[in-house]
C-alpha cells in the first residue's frame, strides 16, 4: 500500500504525550504531595494537620476548633468582627478571591450588556479585546497598576492637578482586587455577551405575544440564559483569583500574602516541608473547585444546545439622544477607561518619560546595562533572549501535546473522561506548585537505579511553560475538532487513507487556524509566565523578562515599564494571531 | 463486481439494539436499498458495511471474505454522505483525486486522466479547478459521487444522498444515479427514508424498523405483498383491517369474483409470492362484515387473527350494478384532498377510517358504496 503512514503513529504520539506530561507535570506535582505527607520516611498527615489547626493559616477556624465554647460566645458578642478579624492565610485567600469574583461580575456584566445590546463603531474590536487581558503577563499588569495607581502614578498626578490631594492604593486590598478584575472581568463580559447574543429574539416575541411585559419577558427568557454564563465567569474568576500570584506579590507584598505567595515565601526561605504541605492544601482546593466547575459546565451543556441558530436580538445604536441608560453606559465606559486603559497607557507613558519629559533612557538601559552589569545583576538582554528561547521550546512541546490531547478528547471511547480530566488538570494546579515540584523533583535530581538524574533549570522552565501553555492549545482546538463533521474523515478513510493520514490530510488543514491560535497562546503564556519561572530561575542565569521586571520593580520603575512595554508588544502580537485565526467562541 | 453478505448482525449501544439480527445478501451489481423511518438502524447498517462501526456480533462479507477487523480504507468501499462531506480546503479535482493517492487508477490511466473521466461521467467536465463551495447542491452531490467512484470501489454506499436537494432536482439526479450505477455495474447499497425513492431506483429493497429487517424483495413485491403490518403501513398508503379467518377453501377460487387490471399487469412482479405456496381464497370477518381475499394457504387457518390490507387505489366506488359482487361496504365521506392526478378521499366506515384514491374528477359526497377485488387484498398473518 502506497502513502500509508504507520498505524502505530497515534500510539507513539499518545505515549510520547503521556510520558512528557508524566515527567513535566505529574511526577513533579506528586513529589510535592508526597513531601507533604512524609516525615522521616513515614507517612503522616501531621504537616497538613499542623497547617489546618494553626491560627496563622486558618484564622478563627483554629480558635473554633480549639475552644468551641469560647469561640461561640465571641461569635454571639460580635459576629462580624470575630469572623473577619482573623481570617488566617487560607481564609484571606478565599476572601480576596470572593471579593475579586464579585468585582469581576460587577465590572464585567455591564460590558456584556453594552456588547450584546448596543451597536457602535468598533464593537467587534471591543469584543475581540476582551480576550487581551487573558494573554497579558500578570507581572506586566502589576507594573501597569503601579504606574497608574502608585504613589507617583497617573491617578495621583491627575488628582494633584485637580487639587484633590493624593491617595496611595499600593499595598492595599482594593488594588489587588482591581487588578484581578482587570484580568477576569473581561472573561465575565465575554461569556455573558456570548450567551446574550444567543438568545433567540423569537422566544422573547413569543413571551410578549403571550402577554408578558418587556421586563417580565427579560426575566423569564433572557435571565435564565444569562445566569449559567455569569456563574461560569464568576467561578473561573474565583479560581484564577484564588491562585493568583504575581499580582498579589507585586501589589500586596507579604502584608497581603495569599497561599500562593506564602508557598513562594517558604520556598525562598528553603522551608520546603511547610511549602509542600501548604501547596497540597492549595492544590486540593483548586482541583476541587475546578472539578465542581466542570461538573456544572457539563450539566449546562444540554441547555446551551437549545440556543443559537435563532434570530439574535436587535441592537440599539449606542450614540443617540441622551437617555438615562446611555448616560449610565457613558459612566461605565469611564470606569473601563480608568481600570483597563489607564494602567496600560500609564505604563507606556512612564516608560518614555522621566522628570524632565520625554526620554528613551529606560530602553537604553535595557541594552547598556547588559555591558556593565555585575554577574549577580539581571542583564536585560539575557532576559529577553531567555524568554524567546523558552517560548520556542515550550511552543515545540505544547503544540504537539495539546493537539494530541484535543484529538483524544474529541474521540468517543471508554475512560475518555478520565483521560480528559488528567490532561486538563494542569490548568487547576498553580504555577508556583508546578515550579516547586519541578525544582524538588527534577532540578534537585531524582535517583534512578543508583544514578542521580538532574535536569538543568532551563529545561525545567521549558517544561513548566509547556505544561502551562498546552491546555490553551487544547481549548482552542477541541471545539474546532469537535465541530468537524466525522463524515469528512470517514470519506477519506473509505477512499483509502489510514487514520493518521486522514488526520493530516483532512482534519489538520481544516483546524489549522486553531493550531495557530493555540500556538500564539502558548507563546504568550510562556513569555508572560512568572509563577513557576521565578522559583526555577532563583539563583540561576535563566531569568526571563517577567522575572527581570519583578526584580526591577522595587527599585527601578523606569526600566521595569520599558520591559513591560516589550512584553506588551509580544502579547499584542500573539493576540493579533489569536484574533485572526482563532475560533471566537473557542476560549473557555 | 462484489457480492455482499450480511449475517446475524447485531449492534448494541448499551441497552439499545441499533441492529437486531440482520441478515441479507446483495447480489453482484445490484442496486439494493435500505428504507425505513429515521432511527430504524439503516444508517448504522450502512456504516457497519463501510467499516465505520464495529458490530457487537455477526459479520459482513465481501465475496465470501469476512470484513471483520478490516479497516474502512482496506475495504474498497466508496461512500457518499447526505451532506456530501466534500473537503472544503481542496479543489473539485483534488477531491475526486483524493482516493487515487492510495490506489492506482484502474485501467492504467494517469491520475489526472481518471479525474477528468469521472468529472465527465457526472457531467462536471472542466469544473476541476473550482472550489466545492462554489458549486450548487446538486453539483456537490455529483462531485461526491465522482470522488467515491474514482478508485473503482468494489461497493458503492450511499447514505441519503438526495435528501438535502429539492424535489425536482432529486428526481432528475436519482435517474442519473441509477443510470451511472447500471453502466458501471458496481454493487450499490442505498439508504433512504423516502419509500417512493426506494421503489423508484432499486433492484431490491429491504424495509427496516427498529433495528430489524421487516422484508426484503423487489420494489413490486414489497409494495404488493407486504410481509408485515409495518411494511404495509410504511410503504405507500394502505387500509388495514384487523379480522379473523372465517373459512378458507382450496383451489383456484371463484372466477366470477373478478380480477383487477392491476393483478393482470403485475405479471412477473408476483413470482415471489407464488413461490410462497399454494393460493387460496379465504373469507375474513372484519366486525360484522365478511370479505373474501386471495392469499397463500398457510397464512389462513380458520379462526386465525389476520390483517387485511387494501390499497386506497384498489378501492372502487360502486355504482349500482357493478362487476364486483363481493367485498362491498358503505362508508361516509369525511373529507377529500385534490392531489392533481388523483383525489384522496377519507371516509368513515363505522369506527374505522378508510382511505380511497380515485382518478374520477367528480368528488364523491355523502354515503357511498365501496368495493374491491379479492385478488387486490393482501392478508398478513396476525
Amino acid at each position: 500500500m502506497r502513502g500509508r503512514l504507520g498505524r502505530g503513529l497515534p500510539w507513539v504520539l499518545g505515549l510520547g504525550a503521556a510520558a512528557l506530561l508524566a515527567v513535566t507535570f505529574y511526577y513533579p506535582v506528586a513529589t510535592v504531595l508526597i513531601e507533604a505527607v512524609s516525615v522521616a520516611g513515614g507517612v503522616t498527615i501531621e504537616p497538613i494537620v499542623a497547617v489546618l489547626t494553626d491560627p496563622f493559616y486558618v484564622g478563627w477556624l483554629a480558635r473554633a476548633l480549639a475552644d468551641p465554647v469560647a469561640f461561640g460566645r465571641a461569635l454571639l458578642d460580635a459576629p462580624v468582627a470575630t469572623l473577619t478579624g482573623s481570617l488566617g492565610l487560607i481564609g484571606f485567600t478565599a476572601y480576596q478571591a470572593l471579593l475579586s469574583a464579585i468585582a469581576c461580575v460587577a465590572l464585567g456584566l455591564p460590558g456584556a450588556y453594552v456588547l450584546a445590546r448596543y451597536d457602535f463603531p468598533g464593537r467587534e474590536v471591543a469584543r475581540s479585546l476582551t480576550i487581551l487581558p487573558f494573554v497579558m503577563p500578570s507581572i506586566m499588569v502589576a507594573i501597569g497598576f503601579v504606574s497608574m495607581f502608585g504613589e507617583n502614578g497617573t491617578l495621583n498626578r491627575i488628582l494633584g492637578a485637580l487639587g484633590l490631594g493624593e491617595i496611595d492604593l499600593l499595598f492595599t486590598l482594593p488594588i489587588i482586587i482591581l487588578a484581578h478584575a482587570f484580568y477576569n472581568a473581561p472573561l465575565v463580559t465575554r461569556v455573558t455577551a456570548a450567551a446574550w447574543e444567543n438568545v433567540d429574539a423569537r422566544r422573547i416575541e413569543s413571551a410578549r405575544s403571550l402577554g408578558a411585559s418587556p421586563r417580565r419577558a427579560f426575566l423569564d427568557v433572557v435571565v435564565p440564559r444569562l445566569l449559567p454564563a455569569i456563574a461560569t465567569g464568576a467561578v473561573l474568576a474565583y479560581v484564577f483569583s484564588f491562585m493568583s500570584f504575581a499580582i498579589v506579590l507585586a501589589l500586596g507584598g507579604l502584608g497581603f500574602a495569599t497561599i500562593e505567595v506564602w508557598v513562594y515565601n517558604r520556598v525562598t526561605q528553603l522551608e520546603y516541608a511547610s511549602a509542600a504541605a501548604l501547596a497540597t492544601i492549595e492544590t486540593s482546593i483548586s482541583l476541587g473547585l475546578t472539578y465542581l466547575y466542570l461538573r456544572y459546565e457539563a450539566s449546562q451543556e444540554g441547555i446551551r444546545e437549545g440556543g443559537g441558530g435563532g434570530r439574535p436580538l436587535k441592537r440599539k445604536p449606542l450614540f443617540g439622544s441622551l437617555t438615562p441608560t446611555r448616560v449610565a453606559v457613558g459612566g461605565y465606559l469611564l470606569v473601563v477607561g480608568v481600570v483597563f486603559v489607564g494602567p496600560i497607557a500609564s505604563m507606556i507613558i512612564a516608560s518614555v518619560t522621566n522628570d524632565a519629559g520625554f526620554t528613551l533612557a529606560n530602553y537604553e538601559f535595557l541594552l547598556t546595562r547588559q555591558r556593565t552589569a555585575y554577574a549577580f545583576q539581571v542583564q536585560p538582554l539575557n532576559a529577553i533572549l531567555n524568554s524567546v528561547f523558552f517560548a520556542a521550546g515550550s511552543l515545540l512541546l505544547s503544540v504537539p501535546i495539546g493537539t494530541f490531547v484535543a484529538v483524544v478528547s474529541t474521540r468517543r471511547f471508554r475512560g475518555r473522561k478520565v483521560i480528559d480530566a488528567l490532561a486538563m488538570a494542569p490548568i487547576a494546579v498553580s504555577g508556583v506548585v508546578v515550579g516547586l515540584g519541578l525544582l524538588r523533583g527534577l532540578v534537585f535530581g531524582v535517583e534512578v537505579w543508583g544514578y542521580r538524574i538532574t535536569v538543568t533549570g532551563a529545561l525545567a522552565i521549558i517544561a513548566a511553560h509547556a505544561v502551562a501553555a498546552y491546555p490553551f492549545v487544547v481549548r482552542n482546538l477541541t471545539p474546532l475538532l469537535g465541530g468537524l463533521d466525522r463524515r469528512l474523515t470517514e470519506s477519506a478513510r473509505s477512499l483509502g487513507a489510514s487514520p493518521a493520514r486522514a488526520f493530516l490530510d483532512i482534519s489538520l488543514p481544516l483546524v489549522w487556524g486553531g493550531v495557530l491560535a493555540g500556538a500564539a497562546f502558548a507563546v504568550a503564556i510562556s513569555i508572560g509566565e512568572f509563577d513557576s519561572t521565578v522559583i526555577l530561575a532563583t539563583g540561576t542565569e535563566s531569568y526571563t523578562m517577567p522575572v527581570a521586571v519583578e526584580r526591577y520593580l522595587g527599585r527601578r520603575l523606569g526600566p521595569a515599564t520599558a520591559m513591560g512595554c516589550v512584553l506588551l508588544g509580544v502579547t499584542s502580537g500573539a493576540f493579533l494571531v489569536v484574533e485572526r485565526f482563532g475560533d471566537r467562541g473557542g476560549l473557555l | 463486481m462484489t457480492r455482499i453478505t450480511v449475517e446475524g448482525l447485531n449492534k448494541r449501544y448499551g441497552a439499545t439494539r441499533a441492529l437486531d439480527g440482520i441478515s441479507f445478501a446483495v447480489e453482484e451489481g445490484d442496486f439494493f436499498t435500505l428504507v425505513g423511518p429515521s432511527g430504524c438502524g439503516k444508517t448504522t447498517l450502512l456504516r457497519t458495511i463501510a467499516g465505520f462501526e464495529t458490530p457487537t456480533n455477526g459479520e459482513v462479507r465481501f465475496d465470501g471474505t469476512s470484513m471483520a477487523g478490516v479497516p474502512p480504507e482496506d475495504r474498497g468501499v466508496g461512500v457518499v454522505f447526505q451532506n456530501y462531506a466534500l473537503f472544503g480546503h481542496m479543489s473539485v479535482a483534488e477531491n475526486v483525486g483524493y482516493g487515487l493517492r492510495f490506489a492506482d487508477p484502474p485501467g492504467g490511466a494517469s491520475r489526472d486522466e481518471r479525474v477528468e473521466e469521472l468529472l465527465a461521467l457526472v457531467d462536471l467536465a472542466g469544473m476541476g479547478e473550482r472550489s466545492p463551495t462554489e458549486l450548487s447542491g446538486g453539483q456537490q452531490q455529483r462531485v461526491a459521487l465522482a470522488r467515491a467512484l474514482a478508485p473503482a470501489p468494489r461497493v458503492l454506499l450511499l447514505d441519503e444522498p438526495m435528501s438535502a436537494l429539492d424535489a425536482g432536482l432529486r428526481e432528475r439526479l436519482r435517474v442519473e444515479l441509477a443510470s451511472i450505477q447500471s453502466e458501471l455495474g458496481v454493487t450499490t447499497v442505498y439508504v433512504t427514508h423516502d419509500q417512493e425513492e426506494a421503489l423508484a431506483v432499486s433492484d431490491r429493497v429491504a424495509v427496516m424498523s427498529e433495528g430489524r429487517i421487516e422484508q426484503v424483495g423487489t420494489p413490486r413485491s414489497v409494495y404488493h405483498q407486504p410481509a408485515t403490518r409495518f411494511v404495509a403501513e410504511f410503504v405507500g398508503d394502505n387500509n388495514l383491517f384487523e379480522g379473523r379467518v372465517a373459512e378458507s377453501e382450496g383451489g383456484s377460487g371463484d372466477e366470477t369474483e373478478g380480477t383487477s387490471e392491476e393483478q393482470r399487469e403485475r405479471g412477473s412482479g408476483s413470482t415471489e409470492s407464488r413461490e410462497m405456496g399454494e393460493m387460496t381464497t379465504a373469507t375474513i370477518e372484519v366486525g360484522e362484515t365478511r370479505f373474501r381475499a386471495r392469499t397463500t394457504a398457510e397464512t389462513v387457518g380458520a379462526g386465525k387473527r389476520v390483517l387485511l390490507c387494501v390499497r386506497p387505489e384498489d378501492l372502487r366506488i360502486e355504482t349500482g350494478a357493478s362487476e364486483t359482487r363481493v367485498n362491498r361496504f358503505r362508508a361516509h365521506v369525511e373529507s377529500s384532498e385534490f392531489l392533481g392526478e388523483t383525489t384522496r378521499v377519507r371516509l368513515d366506515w363505522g369506527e374505522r377510517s378508510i382511505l380511497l384514491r380515485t382518478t374520477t374528477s367528480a368528488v364523491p359526497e355523502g354515503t357511498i358504496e365501496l368495493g374491491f377485488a379479492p385478488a387486490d387484498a393482501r392478508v398478513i398473518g396476525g
Side-chain angles (χ1 to χ4, degrees):
Chain A
M1 292 258 169
R2 206 146 50 91
R4 160 80 37 99
L5 257 158
R7 279 196 197 295
L9 188 67
W11 285 104
V12 173
L13 273 174
L15 287 176
L20 270 171
L21 275 188
V23 172
T24 56
F25 178 74
Y26 279 100
Y27 171 72
V29 171
T31 60
V32 174
L33 304 190
I34 289 166
E35 186 157 5
V37 294
S38 58
V39 169
V43 174
T44 166
I45 56 164
E46 211 174 286
I48 289 176
V49 171
V51 168
L52 288 180
T53 53
D54 186 343
F56 175 77
Y57 291 114
V58 294
W60 53 258
L61 207 58
R63 278 174 61 199
L65 286 173
D67 189 355
V69 181
F71 180 74
R73 210 166 286 147
L75 196 61
L76 287 175
D77 285 347
V80 177
T82 311
L83 291 181
T84 58
S86 60
L87 286 166
L89 188 73
I90 297 175
F92 173 74
T93 307
Y95 174 63
Q96 64 82 24
L98 179 69
L99 292 180
S100 300
I102 293 170
C104 290
V105 173
L107 196 58
L109 265 190
Y113 169 68
V114 172
L115 280 182
R117 302 294 295 113
Y118 283 97
D119 212 2
F120 53 94
R123 195 184 65 85
E124 275 302 316
V125 176
R127 189 186 162 74
S128 304
L129 283 173
T130 55
I131 207 174
L132 187 56
F134 212 77
V135 291
M136 281 186 174
S138 49
I139 196 71
M140 189 206 86
V141 174
I143 313 169
F145 270 73
V146 171
S147 321
M148 178 75 186
F149 299 106
E151 203 183 337
N152 300 314
T154 313
L155 187 66
N156 275 336
R157 284 193 210 169
I158 293 171
L159 289 177
L162 295 173
L164 291 173
E166 289 190 352
I167 49 167
D168 192 3
L169 286 171
L170 214 53
F171 303 114
T172 63
L173 186 56
I175 198 172
I176 295 176
I177 288 163
L178 211 54
H180 285 162
F182 176 94
Y183 246 99
N184 299 316
L187 195 69
V188 175
T189 300
R190 198 174 173 79
V191 291
T192 311
W196 212 322
E197 283 165 352
N198 268 335
V199 173
D200 189 347
R202 286 172 301 191
R203 288 183 199 228
I204 294 178
E205 284 158 9
S206 301
R208 293 294 304 280
S209 71
L210 293 167
S213 66
R215 191 175 149 274
R216 190 61 208 252
F218 177 78
L219 287 177
D220 289 346
V221 179
V222 182
V223 170
R225 290 265 162 182
L226 300 188
L227 283 180
I230 296 170
T232 297
V235 172
L236 285 172
Y238 185 90
V239 173
F240 290 141
S241 305
F242 190 88
M243 295 196 298
S244 159
F245 173 56
I247 283 174
V248 183
L249 182 72
L251 298 179
L254 289 182
F256 288 94
T258 56
I259 306 180
E260 188 85 344
V261 172
W262 202 248
V263 172
Y264 170 68
N265 175 269
R266 295 293 88 194
V267 172
T268 55
Q269 303 299 312
L270 306 183
E271 287 182 30
Y272 294 115
S274 63
L278 207 50
T280 302
I281 291 166
E282 187 198 9
T283 305
S284 315
I285 296 173
S286 60
L287 278 177
L289 284 171
T290 310
Y291 173 75
L292 288 179
Y293 162 68
L294 290 175
R295 282 286 297 270
Y296 175 72
E297 192 186 48
S299 75
Q300 292 298 321
E301 230 155 57
I303 298 173
R304 223 174 291 159
E305 256 166 41
R311 183 158 53 81
L313 296 166
K314 220 177 139 214
R315 294 195 177 88
K316 294 169 274 192
L318 183 59
F319 302 108
S321 60
L322 226 49
T323 60
T325 351
R326 287 208 176 93
V327 172
V329 168
Y332 172 70
L333 293 180
L334 197 67
V335 174
V336 167
V338 172
V339 177
F340 293 94
V341 183
I344 303 298
S346 301
M347 181 184 76
I348 296 170
I349 293 166
S351 76
V352 291
T353 50
N354 58 13
D355 295 337
F358 179 81
T359 175
L360 284 175
N362 293 323
Y363 290 91
E364 269 173 43
F365 174 87
L366 295 188
L367 300 174
T368 54
R369 181 61 179 256
Q370 184 68 18
R371 275 173 264 129
T372 58
Y374 295 105
F376 60 87
Q377 283 175 319
V378 171
Q379 295 175 311
L381 199 58
N382 275 10
I384 295 171
L385 292 176
N386 279 340
S387 280
V388 170
F389 173 67
F390 295 147
S394 59
L395 184 68
L396 290 178
L397 277 182
S398 60
V399 169
I401 295 180
T403 306
F404 185 80
V405 170
V407 169
V408 168
S409 68
T410 46
R411 294 265 160 92
R412 289 178 305 175
F413 59 88
R414 197 185 294 263
R416 193 204 75 186
K417 285 198 168 154
V418 177
I419 293 190
D420 242 10
L422 285 176
M424 293 314 280
I427 216 168
V429 177
S430 78
V432 167
V433 174
V434 173
L436 174 61
L438 283 167
L439 184 72
R440 303 285 287 158
L442 297 183
V443 178
F444 288 179
V446 48
E447 217 158 291
V448 183
W449 293 301
Y451 295 96
R452 189 149 193 90
I453 298 172
T454 60
V455 172
T456 65
L459 278 182
I461 289 172
I462 289 177
H465 288 191
V467 165
Y470 88 84
F472 291 91
V473 180
V474 177
R475 279 285 189 178
N476 267 279
L477 269 181
T478 307
L480 292 176
L481 281 173
L484 271 190
D485 188 345
R486 67 173 172 170
R487 288 172 288 196
L488 287 168
T489 45
E490 285 173 354
S491 292
R493 294 289 302 281
S494 71
L495 291 165
S498 68
R501 186 66 197 259
F503 177 76
L504 291 179
D505 283 351
I506 309 300
S507 307
L508 202 55
L510 291 174
V511 300
W512 191 242
V515 177
L516 282 180
F521 260 111
V523 169
I525 297 287
S526 170
I527 294 279
E529 215 289 338
F530 175 75
D531 308 8
S532 55
T533 316
V534 74
I535 288 181
L536 292 167
T538 303
T540 72
E541 301 282 297
S542 303
Y543 45 80
T544 59
M545 286 196 271
V547 176
V549 165
E550 201 269 335
R551 289 182 191 171
Y552 287 142
L553 192 54
R555 288 144 288 174
R556 298 166 183 274
L557 187 62
T561 56
M563 200 164 254
C565 287
V566 177
L567 282 172
L568 180 66
V570 176
T571 313
S572 307
F575 162 75
L576 289 176
V577 175
V578 170
E579 191 36 47
R580 172 75 181 74
F581 297 103
D583 175 42
R584 305 215 164 172
L587 179 83
L588 298 161
Chain B
M1 296 223 279
T2 298
R3 183 177 198 268
I4 306 172
T5 333
V6 169
E7 230 174 66
L9 218 54
N10 286 298
K11 176 75 184 176
R12 291 194 196 94
Y13 297 108
T16 333
R17 285 160 181 265
L19 299 177
D20 191 359
I22 302 268
S23 297
F24 64 91
V26 184
E27 301 304 326
E28 292 180 0
D30 247 13
F31 196 117
F32 189 89
T33 298
L34 301 169
V35 65
S38 60
C40 72
K42 54 192 191 300
T43 293
T44 305
L45 179 52
L46 188 88
R47 293 172 53 78
T48 308
I49 297 172
F52 300 136
E53 305 279 350
T54 311
T56 310
N57 44 51
E59 213 169 47
V60 175
R61 288 197 287 269
F62 288 180
D63 283 335
T65 312
S66 170
M67 289 290 118
V70 179
E73 62 266 31
D74 294 338
R75 292 194 178 197
V77 291
V79 183
V80 177
F81 288 109
Q82 181 177 5
N83 65 349
Y84 322 130
L86 296 178
F87 307 142
H89 59 299
M90 298 182 185
S91 69
V92 166
E94 284 172 321
N95 265 280
V96 175
Y98 185 76
L100 303 173
R101 297 185 191 185
F102 312 105
D104 292 321
S110 79
R111 204 178 138 191
D112 290 347
E113 285 165 1
R114 178 67 179 167
V115 169
E116 278 310 308
E117 182 189 336
L118 262 300
L119 284 178
L121 180 74
V122 296
D123 217 14
L124 287 173
M127 305 278 246
E129 295 314 307
R130 302 266 187 99
S131 159
T133 51
E134 298 168 28
L135 303 184
S136 70
Q139 288 172 323
Q140 292 186 14
Q141 201 260 358
R142 284 182 281 171
V143 173
L145 181 63
R147 182 178 71 181
L149 290 171
R154 306 171 73 182
V155 169
L156 181 62
L157 305 173
L158 305 149
D159 186 9
E160 306 240 9
M162 307 289 184
S163 59
L165 304 172
D166 59 58
L169 186 59
R170 195 154 60 207
E171 273 175 40
R172 215 168 57 237
L173 276 174
R174 84 184 178 209
V175 173
E176 266 179 50
L177 173 65
S179 91
I180 288 174
Q181 191 271 339
S182 69
E183 188 184 324
L184 300 176
V186 56
T187 310
T188 299
V189 180
Y190 186 95
V191 161
T192 181
H193 65 273
D194 181 344
Q195 43 95 13
E196 185 190 312
E197 198 169 280
L199 299 180
V201 293
S202 327
D203 293 317
R204 281 153 59 82
V205 175
V207 183
M208 289 185 68
S209 164
E210 294 179 352
R212 294 164 181 274
I213 289 188
E214 295 278 330
Q215 186 175 5
V216 182
T218 62
R220 279 169 190 280
S221 72
V222 166
Y223 187 81
H224 290 300
Q225 276 102 39
T228 66
R229 180 188 192 120
F230 178 82
V231 176
E233 284 181 321
F234 182 75
V235 182
D237 288 335
N238 224 332
N239 293 298
L240 302 180
F241 306 111
E242 281 168 15
R244 183 191 297 274
V245 179
E247 56 188 270
S248 88
E249 57 199 48
S252 57
D254 190 346
E255 290 302 323
T256 58
E257 282 169 352
T259 32
S260 72
E261 283 172 39
E262 184 64 38
Q263 173 67 8
R264 277 190 298 272
E265 105 192 351
R266 248 177 244 162
S268 63
S270 57
T271 45
E272 291 204 2
S273 71
R274 288 214 187 107
E275 286 157 11
M276 284 163 72
E278 207 186 328
M279 297 298 284
T280 180
T281 299
T283 304
I284 291 155
E285 267 179 5
V286 176
E288 301 290 291
T289 318
R290 290 184 152 217
F291 292 111
R292 290 170 69 72
R294 295 280 291 148
T295 182
T296 53
E298 60 264 31
T299 41
V300 285
K304 249 176 109 176
R305 295 203 153 275
V306 291
L307 208 55
L308 183 70
C309 317
V310 185
R311 293 278 176 198
E313 66 269 28
D314 290 334
L315 278 179
R316 288 181 302 219
I317 302 169
E318 305 289 356
T319 48
S322 168
E323 46 188 308
T324 315
R325 295 199 308 273
V326 296
N327 295 348
R328 291 171 75 137
F329 61 102
R330 296 175 70 78
H332 184 77
V333 175
E334 271 298 302
S335 62
S336 64
E337 290 172 280
F338 176 64
L339 301 174
E341 239 178 291
T342 58
T343 299
R344 186 159 58 187
V345 186
R346 198 170 286 280
L347 306 98
D348 276 347
W349 176 45
E351 301 283 277
R352 296 175 180 82
S353 179
I354 306 277
L355 270 182
L356 161 76
R357 194 184 279 266
T358 171
T359 48
T360 54
S361 48
V363 178
E365 281 178 11
T367 302
I368 55 171
E369 186 151 41
L370 297 173
F372 59 91
D376 288 337
R378 164 79 185 158
V379 180
I380 296 169

